[in-house]
Amino acid sequence: MKLREQKSFVRFWTASTTSNLGTYITTIALQVLVVVNLGGSAVDVGWVSASRWLPYVLLGLIAGVLVDRFHRKTVLVVTDMGRGIIFAFICLLAVIGVLSIGWLMILLVLFGAMSLFNDVAYRSFVPQLVPRPLLTRAYARLEQSAAVTETGGPAIGGGLVSWIGAPFALLVDAVSYLFSGVLMASVKHQPSDKVKVGPLGQQIKEGLQWVYQHQYLRTLALNTHVWFLFHSMTMTVLVSFFLIELGFDASHLGFALASAGVGAVAGTSLSTRAGARLGIGRAMAFSRILYAPAVIVMALAPATNTSDSLNIALIFAVVGQLLYGFAMGIEGPLEMGYQQYVTPSHLQGRMNATLRSINRSVVVIGAPLGGAIADELGFLTALWISIAGLALCGLWFGLSSMRKAQIKEYEI
């Protein structure tokens, strides 16, 4: 049984890769739009960024119920088209000079809501395209593409912004979403099980019970929530640590952060082999244990006073980012594949929404918490607190029953 023979998945994969590339272009284009075109401050950049994630906190659990009630392909097509229209509208408002920070935030809240429903449907749709034994391999391919676009997207986005300006760079992203929506509409799939429509609260409760009462999903979910807390703290502190403590400029920062994408490509390439050789649970435990050493390497980078010490610090940062990205690459496909494998079709949307919304809610806490600790106690202290938390997650995962989790008929 070969993944490339699953023609519907190949179309889905192509659509996903296209929209992912556009997303990473947007990350840079929006920041430039706020600061350069709209004359915004760093605080404005923060508020604009937060507006994209607000729907995940407010609507996450509800999204899971609604996605389970509708055809997932329809949700994917509508939300891709909708996101393309929103970015085209932002470009138009910017060009005619009527766009403001407030209007941009409102439009990005709508964009975030569509992204929420798209994310939930996206994760729940893959089991309708490939047989369950191929799920981890399918997610490995999707994660490989995501890692490649994460590595190249910012560079392409920076070039586009310099060439045609931030508003028109967003228009390029709009085209990518529209193309993804058209291609997604052509995907053929197995119909999902019909969900019995009941009270909204009861259906949310069913999703929560499935995740937090399952023998293995409970441990995976709780450990991942805590991991996201310390991961978000780490990512918040690292950028400032690189720029201020180590003296990196923008090019050094971009090179270091891109290394995580390179590591992720390597990790996803080995993910299915690791799952087959070690078992799904043990392979995920291995990756969780790698995060703390990766951040330790970066925390040990020497402060820079000369060009030689700057190069040494850059090597520490690159190695740490490579290892961190490698761990994420190993874990990502296995984690998503296992979640989909053990969850019945009619609960897929609610399971995905439960995990994703709570993880994103934790990020809303962890990111400012990491910044506050860094401001009060210093970058290194904040990093070592994050290291301790990541190490705790790795130890907890490795000693839990989750290490025994497996997918039957797993094959390379």
Side-chain angles (χ1 to χ4, degrees):
M1 191 182 300
K2 297 180 180 179
L3 191 60
R4 63 174 177 269
E5 296 174 354
Q6 311 296 316
K7 295 182 179 180
S8 292
F9 173 77
V10 172
R11 286 176 176 266
F12 175 84
W13 184 14
T14 303
S16 172
T17 302
T18 303
S19 61
N20 277 339
L21 180 61
T23 297
Y24 286 108
I25 293 174
T26 294
T27 301
I28 289 182
L30 278 176
Q31 294 175 341
V32 174
L33 180 69
V34 171
V35 175
V36 177
N37 296 78
L38 301 181
S41 64
V43 174
D44 293 324
V45 174
W47 280 115
V48 167
S49 178
S51 64
R52 296 177 64 182
W53 301 113
L54 184 61
Y56 285 81
V57 179
L58 300 179
L59 301 173
L61 297 178
I62 297 174
V65 175
L66 296 179
V67 166
D68 278 338
R69 291 182 178 183
F70 292 96
H71 292 294
R72 287 157 192 163
K73 188 176 82 170
T74 301
V75 175
L76 290 169
V77 173
V78 170
T79 52
D80 269 345
M81 293 291 189
R83 290 187 293 180
I85 292 170
I86 287 174
F87 275 145
F89 190 55
I90 290 175
C91 173
L92 175 63
L93 293 180
V95 169
I96 64 178
V98 298
L99 184 66
S100 65
I101 297 293
W103 275 112
L104 182 60
M105 288 177 60
I106 291 171
L107 290 169
L108 287 179
V109 168
L110 294 175
F111 172 84
M114 291 190 179
S115 295
L116 165 63
F117 282 93
N118 187 276
D119 286 347
V120 174
Y122 170 90
R123 288 171 174 253
S124 307
F125 191 48
V126 178
Q128 295 176 235
L129 302 177
V130 300
R132 294 207 169 206
L134 290 179
L135 279 173
T136 52
R137 202 185 310 174
Y139 281 115
R141 297 297 176 268
L142 292 169
E143 289 292 295
Q144 284 171 345
S145 297
V148 171
T149 55
E150 179 183 358
T151 304
I156 295 173
L160 279 174
V161 170
S162 299
W163 180 36
I164 59 177
F168 289 103
L170 289 176
L171 187 60
V172 172
D173 192 15
V175 172
S176 76
Y177 280 122
L178 293 172
F179 174 80
S180 176
V182 171
L183 193 57
M184 198 73 71
S186 69
V187 171
K188 296 180 180 180
H189 62 97
Q190 294 294 324
S192 59
D193 296 337
K194 290 185 177 180
V195 177
K196 184 180 179 180
V197 177
L200 184 65
Q202 177 62 32
Q203 291 196 282
I204 291 175
K205 181 180 178 181
E206 288 175 0
L208 291 168
Q209 286 178 334
W210 172 256
V211 171
Y212 295 109
Q213 291 182 4
H214 189 277
Q215 179 183 4
Y216 296 135
L217 280 184
R218 176 178 62 249
T219 299
L220 178 59
L222 294 175
N223 188 277
T224 302
H225 299 335
V226 178
W227 180 86
F228 261 98
L229 174 69
F230 292 105
H231 167 73
S232 60
M233 289 176 59
T234 301
M235 293 300 104
T236 299
V237 175
L238 271 180
V239 173
S240 298
F241 175 70
F242 288 156
L243 292 173
I244 299 174
E245 193 82 7
L246 301 186
F248 287 4
D249 60 22
S251 62
H252 294 127
L253 176 64
F255 184 73
L257 296 180
S259 301
V262 176
V265 172
T268 53
S269 299
L270 297 175
S271 182
T272 54
R273 294 180 182 273
R277 188 174 297 273
L278 302 176
I280 297 294
R282 287 185 175 85
M284 282 193 281
F286 169 73
S287 65
R288 292 273 163 123
I289 292 170
L290 288 180
Y291 291 114
V295 183
I296 289 175
V297 171
M298 292 182 277
L300 293 177
T304 61
N305 296 312
T306 65
S307 59
D308 289 339
S309 60
L310 176 62
N311 291 333
I312 293 173
L314 183 59
I315 291 172
F316 275 79
V318 167
V319 171
Q321 285 286 304
L322 278 170
L323 185 57
Y324 203 95
F326 179 76
M328 295 184 72
I330 287 282
E331 178 184 13
L334 300 178
E335 181 179 348
M336 288 189 288
Y338 180 77
Q339 292 167 3
Q340 308 291 346
Y341 182 83
V342 301
T343 302
S345 179
H346 69 281
L347 286 170
Q348 290 279 347
R350 280 169 282 177
M351 178 275 293
N352 286 312
T354 296
L355 293 173
R356 198 164 182 83
S357 63
I358 295 179
N359 288 340
R360 292 297 180 270
S361 298
V362 171
V363 170
V364 173
I365 298 172
L369 177 62
I373 294 174
D375 284 343
E376 290 294 324
L377 304 178
F379 297 120
L380 282 176
T381 300
L383 282 178
W384 283 106
I385 291 173
S386 297
I387 289 167
L390 293 171
L392 176 64
C393 288
L395 182 63
W396 170 16
F397 198 103
L399 296 177
S400 73
S401 61
M402 184 62 205
R403 72 183 187 278
K404 301 176 183 178
Q406 187 56 281
I407 292 180
K408 294 180 181 179
E409 301 180 66
Y410 194 92
E411 54 186 5
I412 297 177

